[in-house]
Amino acid sequence: MTWDVTADLVVVGTGVAGLTAALRATELGLRVVAVTKTTIEDGNTRRAQGGVAVVLPGASGITDISDSVEAHVADTVAAGAGLCDENAVWAIVAAGPAAVTTLRARGAGFDGGAGELHRTREGGHRAFRVIHAGGDATGAEIERALAGAARGAGLPLLEGQPVTDVLFDDAGRVAGLALLGGGVLRARAVLLATGGLGHLYAVSTNAEVATGDGLALALRAGAVTADLEFVQFHPTALYAGHASRGRQPLVTEALRGEGAVLLDITGAPVMTGVHPLGGLAPRDVVAAAITRRMAATAAEHVLLDAMHLGDALLRRRFPTVYAACMALGLDPACAPIPVAPAAHYQCGGVVTDLSGRTTVPGLYAAGEVARTGLHGANRLASNSLLEGLVMGARTAEAVAADLMSLPRPGPPLPCCLVRPIADRDAVQQAMSAHVGIGRDAAGLTTALAAAGATSPRPLRTARDAEDAALTLAAAAVLAAATARTESRGCHLRTDHPRTAARWRRSIAIVLDDAGVPVPAASALVGGAA
Ligand code: SIN
């Protein structure tokens, strides 16, 4: 079936970046269609707890240093372990206040109300600059506001429509999207805002939709990707037992920002002597320290002691965490919370400029799926909602400008729906065992074999489409992780434990002629695209 939508822009994904872009593009007069494989409610944005990292002028902080854009940039660069693109960091951080103002005008309410907003700290932040909503339900409030604004603006939204391919015309111009089941959306520009790939792993904090779809679409469309080896593990997912698989509830870093302490199962502090920021060290440092302590104590988790906050404050300030704990029969006011690291965020992705343009004209990316250079080798906490807000709007503006000169595409050519697909469970087990916190050459080879044990199959179901994306995403992450023979940020190689100056550059991954992800001949230098 062909929907002759003839949109200017099709946005794939309805999280913070996708809806911000769709709304801004609509304001600019573009005909926009948004498409999602599930429903607008099912995305990852709404699971974000901590908040938005932003320096708001005039707010008084509960801190002994005055905050500034410079300080936020410095913290982002320090967390990024030598691979941030400082131009990107400056541009995105400096645009934060205006992006938050726009979001509030669209109806999002942050804690603290009409006056000064309440702010907290998270890992890697040296100042109280993370604003939040509903206590620990920031993503849910942002998603509610943006979805409401999109409905109010009459944005056409196709739900339950997995995308299988970016389509091109016979001159190689982006011409739209192929939908599972045979539908075609014609468009002059395509924006991927599909989020990340947490479900490459057996345990993740991500919504079930995070299956690397956008990364796979972009690779197949010929786009350059980078920094894929830097999969960030959140230090504190709620540990629900040995057999737990799939999405696990997040236990926000903001709890540590409010004084909660990480202990091992013997009661010894985990972070003492590890980093000057202690429990609020950057996320890669905390996750690695927890992993080491779990190994040393032969335990599958550590403990987060938040009891000092007391029942009333825990319920009011952290209602999401409180409810998740109580659902496990655990009262966080009376007992420490069992926590363990879980796959959380894709720091790299589809290489874009600071306007969301990929290396393929007419194809754009924003949000977690994109690699702007903001995150480097390890994302600073709560910089992702910030990036989605800023880059969503900037990308819409770039599309509007580009469409003035981009030639109108011809009819889209058909695509082939047969894909190599590996067994999802085998891939997840192998990625968790060998491509988590602590990797070596032998383990990476084992994981590559699991991801490479494919059979070509036609895509018939939404599950097939996800499995094909996971298969390709796994191979791409493995190509990057194998190539980087050092430890840096989220990429911890036990066989190359040191950081090497010669590796202070990003590794670009593209598909070769056989459709296999490989490092590009010219790697990106100095973290800059
Ligand atoms: C958290 O609330 O701990 C997660 C925030 C983030 O991933 O940026």
Side-chain angles (χ1 to χ4, degrees):
M1 186 203 331
T2 298
W3 279 286
D4 206 4
V5 173
T6 58
D8 295 314
L9 172 66
V10 176
V11 178
V12 191
T14 52
V16 58
L19 287 179
T20 301
L23 284 164
R24 182 73 186 119
T26 303
E27 283 169 3
L28 292 170
L30 302 190
R31 288 165 305 161
V32 184
V33 175
V35 58
T36 170
K37 67 179 176 180
T38 53
T39 70
I40 201 166
E41 275 80 32
D42 287 335
N44 215 18
T45 291
R46 65 185 287 267
R47 304 214 171 273
Q49 292 185 4
V52 183
V54 63
V55 179
L56 292 181
S60 66
I62 40 173
T63 177
D64 59 351
I65 59 167
S66 59
D67 200 10
S68 64
V69 168
E70 287 79 0
H72 188 175
V73 168
D75 288 349
T76 301
V77 170
L83 280 198
C84 293
D85 176 341
E86 292 200 25
N87 289 333
V89 179
W90 271 102
I92 293 169
V93 167
V100 168
T101 301
T102 303
L103 178 64
R104 294 178 79 186
R106 288 192 169 128
F110 285 90
D111 295 340
E116 289 190 349
L117 300 184
H118 184 261
R119 291 172 298 154
T120 191
R121 274 180 76 197
E122 291 182 22
H125 290 276
R126 288 168 203 266
F128 285 78
R129 65 168 75 98
V130 178
I131 59 171
H132 49 85
D136 60 4
T138 312
E141 171 60 8
I142 291 176
E143 187 71 26
R144 184 201 63 73
L146 292 177
R151 288 191 181 104
L155 178 75
L157 173 65
L158 294 179
E159 294 182 303
Q161 297 291 343
V163 172
T164 64
D165 281 282
V166 177
L167 296 175
F168 295 86
D169 70 5
D170 60 3
R173 290 179 289 240
V174 165
L177 290 171
L179 302 177
L180 187 74
V184 170
L185 296 178
R186 296 183 187 198
R188 300 177 66 196
V190 168
L191 167 60
L192 302 175
T194 49
L197 43 62
H199 288 276
L200 259 189
Y201 292 83
V203 174
S204 170
T205 61
N206 290 180
E208 286 73 8
V209 296
T211 52
D213 306 350
L215 184 65
L217 286 168
L219 281 166
R220 287 172 50 78
V224 175
T225 65
D227 294 337
L228 299 182
E229 62 275 39
F230 302 112
V231 178
Q232 184 175 69
F233 278 62
H234 196 286
T236 58
L238 184 60
Y239 174 78
H242 178 69
S244 290
R245 295 283 181 276
R247 185 176 68 76
Q248 308 297 314
L250 184 66
V251 177
T252 176
E253 287 199 346
L255 269 161
R256 277 175 277 138
E258 307 287 341
V261 178
L262 283 164
L263 306 170
D264 69 18
I265 54 157
T266 73
V270 172
M271 293 306 297
T272 304
V274 175
H275 189 279
L277 290 174
L280 286 176
R283 201 168 271 179
D284 55 339
V285 176
V286 180
I290 290 175
T291 303
R292 284 194 300 271
R293 194 60 72 91
M294 281 163 40
T297 55
E300 291 191 347
H301 65 85
V302 292
L303 299 165
L304 184 68
D305 185 348
M307 291 187 285
H308 71 286
L309 293 175
D311 185 71
L313 186 58
L314 281 166
R315 282 174 192 262
R316 179 167 48 77
R317 175 68 180 84
F318 298 102
T320 314
V321 173
Y322 186 86
C325 290
M326 293 305 268
L328 275 188
L330 188 132
D331 183 344
C334 301
I337 306 169
V339 290
H344 182 64
Y345 196 85
Q346 166 192 322
C347 297
V350 186
V351 173
T352 72
D353 66 10
L354 285 174
S355 297
R357 297 181 184 96
T358 72
T359 52
V360 176
L363 181 64
Y364 302 78
E368 185 172 354
V369 71
R371 180 269 188 204
T372 58
L374 173 67
H375 307 312
N378 173 59
R379 176 177 63 94
L380 184 69
S382 286
N383 266 358
S384 45
L385 291 174
L386 169 76
E387 186 185 43
L389 291 168
V390 171
M391 291 306 299
R394 288 179 78 127
T395 305
E397 285 156 16
V399 173
D402 293 351
L403 287 187
M404 309 264 207
S405 57
L406 267 183
R408 209 167 267 281
L413 300 177
C415 57
C416 168
L417 282 185
V418 176
R419 302 285 152 82
I421 300 181
D423 178 73
R424 183 188 290 215
D425 195 50
V427 170
Q428 289 175 332
Q429 296 300 336
M431 293 295 290
S432 291
H434 302 296
V435 202
I437 303 170
R439 310 163 169 184
D440 62 22
L444 292 169
T445 303
T446 304
L448 199 51
T454 60
S455 54
R457 279 201 274 133
L459 304 183
R460 292 205 175 90
T461 65
R463 177 86 178 183
D464 290 342
E466 286 187 344
D467 286 350
L470 282 171
T471 301
L472 185 55
V477 169
L478 284 160
T482 303
R484 184 173 290 282
T485 50
E486 65 154 0
S487 290
R488 182 186 295 275
C490 305
H491 176 68
L492 210 163
R493 292 270 309 236
T494 52
D495 55 351
H496 295 281
R498 294 188 188 288
T499 300
R502 74 192 167 89
W503 274 117
R504 193 169 174 187
R505 60 193 172 91
S506 291
I507 296 172
I509 298 291
V510 293
L511 293 194
D512 69 10
D513 292 343
V516 176
V518 291
S522 58
L524 306 172
V525 176

